[in-house]
């Protein structure tokens, strides 16, 4: 799991802000995501309050035997993009555009800039209109599948 989530994090830290810059507009301004605003492993809306914040949560992994010494790994990572502190209409548009930026990064380089990753792809995206107990907080999540071969 660590290889997958760390590879996704490092790749997004390297590539995402360029895509964000491309799709940011005056009507729907998007701020860059700072390295410290990527959180791995859990969602904590009290501790991490910057907008935007990206949470990377590893999910299930499937392993298939390839040879006596290697397995094919299909692992999932949920990428939550949380935005706060603007008009609800702007927050909606921002969250959808951040989601589009993450997807574009994945589509641009399915290997996530890594020699170890075979391919990655977007499996699911969704918008959630609010986070319970948090006014003016909206987000999207993108679930990606990352495939690679692992020696055993």
């Amino acid at each position: 799991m660590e290889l997958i989530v760390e590879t996704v994090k490092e790749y997004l830290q390297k590539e995402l802000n360029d895509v964000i810059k491309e799709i940011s507009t005056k009507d729907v301004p998007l701020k860059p995501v700072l390295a410290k605003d990527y959180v791995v492993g859990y969602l904590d809306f009290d501790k991490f309050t910057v907008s935007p914040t990206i949470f990377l949560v590893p999910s299930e992994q499937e392993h298939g035997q390839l040879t006596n010494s290697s397995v094919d790994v299909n692992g999932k990572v949920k990428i939550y993009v949380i935005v706060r502190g603007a008009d609800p209409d702007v927050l909606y548009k921002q969250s959808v555009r951040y989601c589009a930026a993450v997807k574009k990064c994945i589509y641009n380089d399915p290997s996530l800039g890594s020699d170890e990753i075979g391919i990655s792809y977007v499996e699911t995206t969704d918008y959630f209109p609010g986070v319970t107990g948090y006014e003016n907080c909206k987000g999207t999540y993108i679930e990606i599948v990352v495939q690679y071969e692992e020696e055993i």
Side-chain angles (χ1 to χ4, degrees):
M1 281 188 200
E2 184 178 358
L3 168 68
I4 293 174
V5 76
E6 288 301 322
T7 301
V8 172
K9 177 184 169 185
E10 290 170 11
Y11 176 69
L12 289 178
Q13 286 176 329
K14 181 179 170 199
E15 301 295 332
L16 184 59
N17 285 335
D18 289 338
V19 177
I20 288 170
K21 194 182 306 182
E22 289 174 17
I23 64 174
S24 182
T25 64
K26 183 179 177 184
D27 294 336
V28 185
L30 302 177
K31 296 190 303 188
V33 183
L34 303 177
K36 68 178 182 61
D37 298 325
Y38 286 82
V39 180
V40 173
Y42 60 97
L43 302 172
D44 187 337
F45 301 117
D46 291 323
K47 184 175 180 181
F48 301 98
T49 60
V50 173
S51 181
T53 300
I54 294 184
F55 296 95
L56 299 124
V57 180
S59 190
E60 65 196 50
Q61 286 191 351
E62 296 176 0
H63 302 263
Q65 196 75 30
L66 288 175
T67 68
N68 287 337
S69 61
S70 66
V71 293
D72 180 44
V73 179
N74 291 308
K76 295 183 180 181
V77 177
K78 290 185 179 177
I79 304 165
Y80 295 85
V81 183
I82 306 300
V83 292
R84 304 170 184 243
D87 177 85
D89 290 337
V90 172
L91 287 176
Y92 167 75
K93 291 175 184 174
Q94 285 178 331
S95 66
V96 170
R97 291 207 185 163
Y98 279 113
C99 178
V102 170
K103 289 190 314 185
K104 185 172 182 180
C105 282
I106 304 301
Y107 298 148
N108 284 348
D109 184 359
S111 72
L112 305 174
S114 171
D115 294 336
E116 295 181 65
I117 301 300
I119 192 168
S120 64
Y121 60 89
V122 175
E123 184 173 77
T124 308
T125 60
D126 202 1
Y127 166 76
F128 49 97
V131 177
T132 305
Y134 295 90
E135 191 80 18
N136 283 343
C137 184
K138 301 195 182 304
T140 53
Y141 83 84
I142 304 97
E143 185 169 43
I144 67 170
V145 176
V146 179
Q147 298 175 336
Y148 67 97
E149 187 176 323
E150 180 176 78
E151 297 298 318
I152 52 175

